[in-house]
Amino acid sequence: MTLHITPIPLFSDNYAWLLRDGATGTTAVIDPADPGPIEAAVMAAGGRLDLIFLTHHHDDHVAGTDAIREKFGAKVFGAAADARRLPKLDRALKQGDSVAVGASEGTVLETPGHTIGHISFYFPGDPPALFCADTLFSLGCGKLLEGTPADMFGSLRKFAGLPDGTLVYCGHEYTASNARFALTVEPDNAALRERAAEVTRQRAAGQSTVPTTMAQEKAANPFMRAGSAEELGRIRAAKDRF
Ligand code: ZN
Ligand code: FE
């Protein structure tokens, strides 16, 4: 079964994602923060929007939710843990819950760290796809605004268990600045140096660096490579000062 995935760039560096199930035409959007570009993308894909998936409560991910819900009559799914500070949910999600976009079945992963109630969506299709918003970035991870290093370490361990070929759809285009910091942590990491060079080429050509792959992040992302919560915490604190 094919899940068609389209990026919707928002603001200066956010990504929302449009998901359309090839078998049924069922369509979902992840993090519809800015209604104008979201509506345009939905109309370009046929004008149907069934589902809205929210990853976490920050405005740059959820602000357009009510406008888009009203416009298309879509149902809104988000974390049970954060229901009180998300737009009104039609379904509250927990770790391991199944979410279906037509015939494409996904799973909810609770991934605290950036916020306490942050969730990610994993679709084990071919190729597998992970929507991880502000938990994992290419060559970086989200700021620990609410959670602890141990929270983030546990969340990234969940991701590390996914197949290497998983396409990683992050919530921001932060890769170039993440690469500059990552090289200060692991200056001799060949996979990182290669990825950093690729990112420089991609950005110079005006291309997106997202999605990345789980294999690439395991090889080059210092936060994915941290061996303990303490080590992750030290790297995160250094990035905050960078
Ligand atoms: Zn955020
Ligand atoms: Fe964000």
Side-chain angles (χ1 to χ4, degrees):
M1 224 42 66
T2 311
L3 191 62
H4 301 279
I5 299 167
T6 310
I8 312 173
L10 304 179
F11 313 121
S12 59
D13 56 25
N14 276 76
Y15 291 118
W17 301 97
L18 193 70
L19 282 53
R20 193 176 58 79
D21 172 53
T24 61
T26 305
T27 303
V29 68
I30 297 186
D31 287 353
D34 190 5
I38 299 293
E39 186 180 333
V42 171
M43 294 313 289
R48 170 177 174 181
L49 186 69
D50 302 277
L51 300 165
I52 296 171
F53 295 150
L54 305 177
T55 61
H56 68 294
H57 70 88
H58 290 155
D59 269 355
D60 67 313
H61 297 261
V62 304
T65 300
D66 286 329
I68 292 297
R69 175 209 316 257
E70 249 175 67
K71 173 84 189 170
F72 295 104
K75 298 284 185 223
V76 179
F77 293 11
D82 258 345
R84 73 197 148 77
R85 53 182 183 171
L86 287 167
K88 186 179 173 308
L89 300 180
D90 295 296
R91 193 176 153 206
L93 301 170
K94 291 204 156 86
Q95 170 71 31
D97 281 354
S98 291
V99 288
V101 181
S104 299
E105 291 267 355
T107 305
V108 174
L109 302 175
E110 290 182 345
T111 53
H114 177 65
T115 65
I116 291 296
H118 195 300
I119 56 174
S120 300
F121 298 88
Y122 175 64
F123 290 83
D126 184 21
L130 172 68
F131 298 91
C132 51
D134 293 4
T135 300
L136 174 64
F137 297 122
S138 185
L139 304 181
C141 78
K143 278 193 180 149
L144 300 179
L145 297 178
E146 298 176 10
T148 63
D151 290 330
M152 181 59 87
F153 184 72
S155 296
L156 298 186
R157 286 302 91 198
K158 283 184 191 176
F159 293 162
L162 300 176
D164 278 352
T166 302
L167 295 177
V168 179
Y169 294 88
C170 325
H172 288 271
E173 179 61 61
Y174 286 165
T175 319
S177 73
N178 286 343
R180 284 191 290 279
F181 171 75
L183 284 166
T184 69
V185 180
E186 287 197 83
D188 300 323
N189 179 329
L192 170 57
R193 293 166 68 124
E194 200 177 303
R195 171 66 171 149
E198 180 192 35
V199 167
T200 301
R201 280 195 303 276
Q202 286 173 319
R203 296 311 288 157
Q207 293 165 0
S208 172
T209 66
V210 182
T212 173
T213 66
M214 193 55 71
Q216 181 122 71
E217 296 310 310
K218 283 190 202 169
N221 184 328
F223 296 94
M224 284 296 288
R225 294 164 62 73
S228 66
E230 292 67 34
E231 186 184 354
L232 185 149
R234 279 196 300 275
I235 300 171
R236 185 61 256 180
K239 174 71 161 75
D240 291 344
R241 293 189 304 263
F242 184 67

